[in-house]
Amino acid sequence: MMLDSFLIRAALAGLGVALAAAPLGCFVVWRRMAYFGDATAHASILGVALALSFDVSVFAGVLAVSLAMATTVSTLSGRGYAMDTLLGVLAHSALAFGLVAVSFLQGIRIDLMGYLFGDILAVGKPDLAMIWGGAAMVLALVAWRWSALLTATLNPDLAYASGIDPKREQMVLTLALALVVAVAIKVVGVLLIAAMLIVPAAAARPFARTPEVMAVMAAVIGGVSALGGLQAAFVFDTPTGPTIVCVAAVLFAVASLIDLIRRAVA
């Protein structure tokens, strides 16, 4: 069977994460929420430790803790706390507590580097089903709320006038973000999830005429980064998760250069 090849499974896993992260990454860029994604991703290592401690699915543990972190940040952000300070404290504290919690696990063999930087080559068929199932949920959620999310992002006052509650849309984004973190942890790891959210969307931004085009372009760039990174890691024998992000960064640099030349000529 085709899925018996670990490289095919890895490629499909990378594409699944790219599809899930692309539209959400656009909202992260538009709302300047890069640190928000970072804090949610860093908290997920605590979810891994709790899941292994209580012998439940790592996906469920990561999703629960990521959702709790994202909800906490959303709740506290409007209560007099400086957002960058709040996110810095929560992100690094959650990562530190997660790493300490992992060290207390007795009798459980855990590949910490795999969770921190991803282990896409070890993706199995159940992982693949979870990744694509999670990606489908994220895409369905964002497609369902697309117009409301866009209005709340561009103009909260207009959203209120249109009967849209920006706080509710923020919670939809929060749920989608937690899902993406849970889906992506196996592919690029805790420390690189935010990069897969932000870099493809940022690379697509200069060339997109509409928000919808930007989301599609971000998905294409994310997919190319995943497949290109997988190929480069295979050829150069480098860590796969970081190599995927390196390819995305190169594509961003090329896109920025093209945009600069275009502006200079115009």
Side-chain angles (χ1 to χ4, degrees), residues 19-112:
L19 281 175
L24 198 57
C26 293
F27 284 104
V28 169
V29 168
W30 292 329
R31 286 174 172 244
R32 298 180 181 177
M33 290 169 57
Y35 274 123
F36 187 89
D38 239 4
T40 308
H42 284 182
S44 60
I45 198 70
L46 184 58
V48 171
L50 292 174
L52 294 174
S53 298
F54 294 102
D55 197 25
V56 297
S57 160
V58 169
F59 179 88
V62 168
L63 180 60
V65 173
S66 299
L67 191 55
M69 171 61 84
T71 305
T72 302
V73 171
S74 293
T75 304
L76 293 179
S77 61
R79 309 225 169 157
Y81 294 90
M83 180 59 94
D84 59 342
T85 304
L86 178 67
L87 289 172
V89 169
L90 290 176
H92 297 102
S93 299
L95 180 61
F97 276 111
L99 293 172
V100 169
V102 165
S103 72
F104 280 114
L105 295 174
Q106 297 295 326
I108 299 175
R109 194 165 168 270
I110 176 169
D111 177 16
L112 194 55

Side-chain angles (χ1 to χ4, degrees), residues 2-3 7-17 128 131-132 227 230:
M2 184 175 69
L3 290 181
L7 281 175
I8 296 291
R9 291 197 301 271
L12 289 173
L15 288 173
V17 168
L128 207 51
I131 287 168
W132 277 90
L227 296 179
L230 193 61

Side-chain angles (χ1 to χ4, degrees), residues 10 117-121 187-188 226 229-230 233-234 238-245:
F117 296 104
D119 193 7
I120 190 172
L121 297 179
V187 175
V188 287
L230 193 61
F234 187 73
T238 53
T240 313
T243 307
I244 289 171
V245 175

